[in-house]
Amino acid sequence: MSNWEAVIGLEIHVQLKTRTKMFCRCPNGFGGEPNTQTCPVCLAFPGALPVANRRAVEECIKLGLALDCEIAERAVFHRKNYFYPDLPKAYQISQYDEPLCARGKLAVPTENGDITVGITRAHLEEDAAKNVHVAASGRIHGATATLVDFNRGGTPLVEIVTEPDLHDAESAKRFLQLLRQTVVELDLSDAELEKGSMRFDVNVSVRPAGSDELRTRTELKNMNSFNFAAKGIEREIARQIRVYEQGGIVEQETLHFDPAHEESPPMRSKEEAQDYRYFPDPDLVPVHPPVDVVERLRGEIGELPGARIKRIADTLSFYDADVLVTGGLDRLWADVVAAGAEPKEAANVLANQFVATGIAPSAVNAAELAKLVSARAEIPRAAFDEALAKTGDAGFTAAPYLEQKVVGDAAELDPIIERIIDANPGQAEQFRGGKQGLLGFFVGQVMKETGGKADPRVVNERVREKLRA
Ligand code: ADP
Ligand code: MG
Ligand code: ZN
């Protein structure tokens, strides 16, 4: 038992995929030629006036409802003042003490019950522009110049802040995966970590086990993978414990994890308590979400991923249910099972093989996939893999693949096996002398000879038997 307990709180930014930006009518979804999706508002020309994007407000409310938040009767946009080249107004429009959504929770199911994480707030803000450092490495260090692409400036962002309710890296990772899946299913964002449409910062501290004090935390920024985050958290917990056990104190600081991708205004420890001089943006009216709109949005939320994990874990193992749901595969799984496939077998194929194909589950004809799953043991592995890779094609049918049966009949395989053993007397001798590893050599030859159609289990068994003879 460790004498220390970790305390973890998360701040997550999600880019909304609205048609237009947060406060102007420029197209949202940067990626075009730099600085082509801009206007006087998002370039901060003097006198240009922002207007809040209704759709973005509704989407933030929807996410807030999914996170069990209270929706404010009045929400206010504030100016958060700081200077950085990617911020032309020298302030970001954000929300401060009157956010759209607050006091929610998200339950992360585990094998031993839920871990409930408090949601402090979910508010709306605008993204900054993108700085592009001109250097081979893409990093600011060693760059010869920095260019600014304002296409991203003004992209609607929802920031979600959690209470410091998490206590280990694995749970933090699962929380993030569940939140990501929630956002994706609500169709609010692609939430793609590699593209930066979901980004998160992790706050970590440790305290003596059993205490409820909150000690000084450090913040890990710019994480772009869940596994990376989990590793970073683990390392940081261990480091802080070492510091305390050696009689030191943990300094409040920001640790940049992947500077190659994104960067934040540089911060040193003391500047963390930066004064942003927040004040209400006088150019924007407060938002008063009408009750009927909130209720309509609530009605649009289907069964959420956490609930589905628990429901599916009644049929499958908790692990399988979790993988299917957080991978966005459980609806296809249910359809494949409804079409006649065995549940566990279907889960295995989807979670282990289908997921690697990168095919969109929605593109798949579940009935055809069910046929394939049910016949998996009878068709050659190569044919199965090929079929699986085509399940997303329009008009895909399993039939041609189902005809390719594996050869599992000893009478058919034995002569081939004998021929191969006769052709390789040296290896056969070595195998008999104890070099067990050569079994694979013979099995491989047989598989090759049969064009991959032999049942590997039967081949293994027969080869072993023949070599011993
Ligand atoms: P800011 O980053 O703007 O200073 P907060 O102080 O509200 O904002 O906290 C940001 C995040 O840090 C929240 O997710 C919160 O749960 C978490 N947090 C706050 N104190 C601690 C702590 N002592 N240990 C770990 N996480 C913490
Ligand atoms: Mg912070
Ligand atoms: Zn614009």
Side-chain angles (χ1 to χ4, degrees):
M1 266 301 277
S2 165
N3 299 320
W4 297 93
E5 178 183 54
V7 179
I8 303 160
L10 305 168
E11 294 163 274
I12 303 107
H13 284 96
V14 176
Q15 280 180 344
L16 297 179
K17 56 178 186 188
T18 48
R19 207 168 41 76
T20 56
K21 292 186 181 181
M22 187 62 232
F23 296 110
C24 63
R25 293 162 86 169
C26 290
N28 180 26
F30 78 108
E33 272 294 292
N35 299 312
T36 53
Q37 300 168 10
T38 59
C39 73
V41 173
C42 57
L43 290 175
F45 285 17
L49 288 174
V51 177
N53 181 329
R54 173 194 298 263
R55 190 61 191 259
V57 172
E58 291 193 358
E59 297 194 343
C60 181
I61 292 175
K62 198 169 188 177
L63 180 57
L65 291 170
L67 298 175
D68 218 8
C69 288
E70 294 166 22
I71 308 304
E73 286 172 17
R74 174 192 140 100
V76 174
F77 288 109
H78 274 68
R79 292 186 180 178
K80 178 178 180 178
N81 298 278
Y82 67 94
F83 175 76
Y84 207 62
D86 62 11
L87 195 70
K89 297 193 294 290
Y91 60 83
Q92 177 195 32
I93 305 178
S94 182
Q95 297 194 288
Y96 185 51
D97 53 358
E98 293 184 83
L100 207 43
C101 318
R103 291 172 293 279
K105 59 181 185 304
L106 179 65
V108 183
T110 79
E111 231 158 336
N112 315 307
D114 288 349
I115 297 173
T116 300
V117 179
I119 304 293
T120 314
R121 57 196 281 139
H123 74 234
L124 262 183
E125 58 187 37
E126 56 177 345
D127 208 347
K130 186 160 183 71
N131 287 344
V132 183
H133 304 300
V134 184
S137 70
R139 296 179 180 213
I140 194 163
H141 189 76
T144 51
T146 294
L147 305 174
V148 188
D149 180 1
F150 287 98
N151 287 355
R152 191 177 77 176
T155 296
L157 283 183
V158 174
E159 176 172 344
I160 301 129
V161 181
T162 78
E163 292 291 303
D165 287 345
L166 287 152
H167 301 289
D168 65 282
E170 181 61 24
S171 304
K173 174 177 151 187
R174 299 215 30 242
F175 172 91
L176 288 165
Q177 287 174 320
L178 195 63
L179 179 64
R180 176 180 184 277
Q181 189 56 27
T182 303
V183 167
V184 169
E185 284 181 20
L186 293 174
D187 205 26
L188 309 182
S189 172
D190 300 329
E192 292 199 54
L193 274 56
E194 318 78 56
K195 288 196 197 153
S197 50
M198 174 172 174
R199 321 193 278 264
F200 46 87
D201 304 334
V202 180
N203 298 273
V204 182
S205 65
V206 300
R207 64 189 173 197
S211 124
D212 55 11
E213 68 181 307
L214 284 176
R215 292 201 175 184
T216 304
R217 69 189 146 107
T218 57
E219 187 168 8
L220 315 180
K221 274 197 181 288
N222 303 325
M223 304 273 181
N224 64 352
S225 108
F226 295 131
N227 287 328
F228 201 16
K231 280 208 195 82
I233 293 171
E234 261 158 26
R235 236 183 305 153
E236 185 52 17
I237 292 171
R239 186 190 71 84
Q240 291 186 17
I241 292 174
R242 266 197 317 274
V243 169
Y244 285 127
E245 291 192 337
Q246 288 165 3
I249 52 158
V250 170
E251 300 244 17
Q252 177 153 352
E253 60 185 336
T254 303
L255 309 162
H256 290 255
F257 256 72
D258 188 8
H261 258 83
E262 286 291 318
E263 105 213 12
S264 335
M267 272 183 218
R268 269 171 290 121
S269 32
K270 304 245 165 49
E271 282 168 359
E272 177 108 20
Q274 193 170 357
D275 182 0
Y276 291 115
R277 296 183 295 118
Y278 277 100
F279 65 88
D281 193 318
D283 291 340
L284 285 157
V285 292
V287 180
H288 298 274
V291 176
D292 59 324
V293 170
V294 174
E295 289 319 306
R296 168 173 62 76
L297 294 167
R298 197 193 301 279
E300 286 172 14
I301 299 171
E303 189 186 15
L304 290 166
R308 299 210 309 284
I309 291 174
K310 287 194 261 188
R311 182 163 55 72
I312 295 171
D314 290 341
T315 308
L316 298 172
S317 68
F318 179 84
Y319 175 82
D320 285 343
D322 192 38
V323 170
L324 287 180
V325 174
T326 51
L329 294 165
D330 65 300
R331 297 211 156 100
L332 178 58
W333 170 80
D335 290 346
V336 168
V337 171
E342 199 276 321
K344 177 73 188 161
E345 184 76 7
N348 283 342
V349 170
L350 285 172
N352 299 322
Q353 290 165 273
F354 178 83
V355 73
T357 65
I359 297 169
S362 57
V364 176
N365 178 329
E368 294 302 313
L369 179 55
K371 287 182 207 164
L372 207 56
V373 168
S374 302
R376 176 158 76 143
E378 283 106 56
I379 54 182
R381 173 71 197 241
F384 181 82
D385 289 349
E386 189 190 317
L388 204 61
K390 293 193 173 153
T391 47
D393 298 358
F396 168 81
T397 55
Y401 299 96
L402 303 184
E403 282 161 17
Q404 302 181 40
K405 296 286 180 200
V406 287
V407 182
D409 184 358
E412 229 174 296
L413 291 171
D414 279 0
I416 300 171
I417 294 172
E418 280 160 22
R419 192 152 25 87
I420 287 169
I421 292 177
D422 286 348
N424 298 281
Q427 277 93 337
E429 201 46 52
Q430 287 176 29
F431 176 85
R432 290 188 194 104
K435 212 165 166 198
Q436 294 284 323
L438 282 169
L439 184 72
F441 164 76
F442 286 103
V443 172
Q445 296 286 311
V446 177
M447 295 305 291
K448 204 161 131 199
E449 189 83 1
T450 56
K453 290 186 180 152
D455 181 338
R457 262 185 329 222
V458 180
V459 174
N460 248 287
E461 202 176 285
R462 299 303 300 158
V463 167
R464 203 185 285 275
E465 169 127 10
K466 291 283 170 194
L467 281 169
R468 288 222 187 86

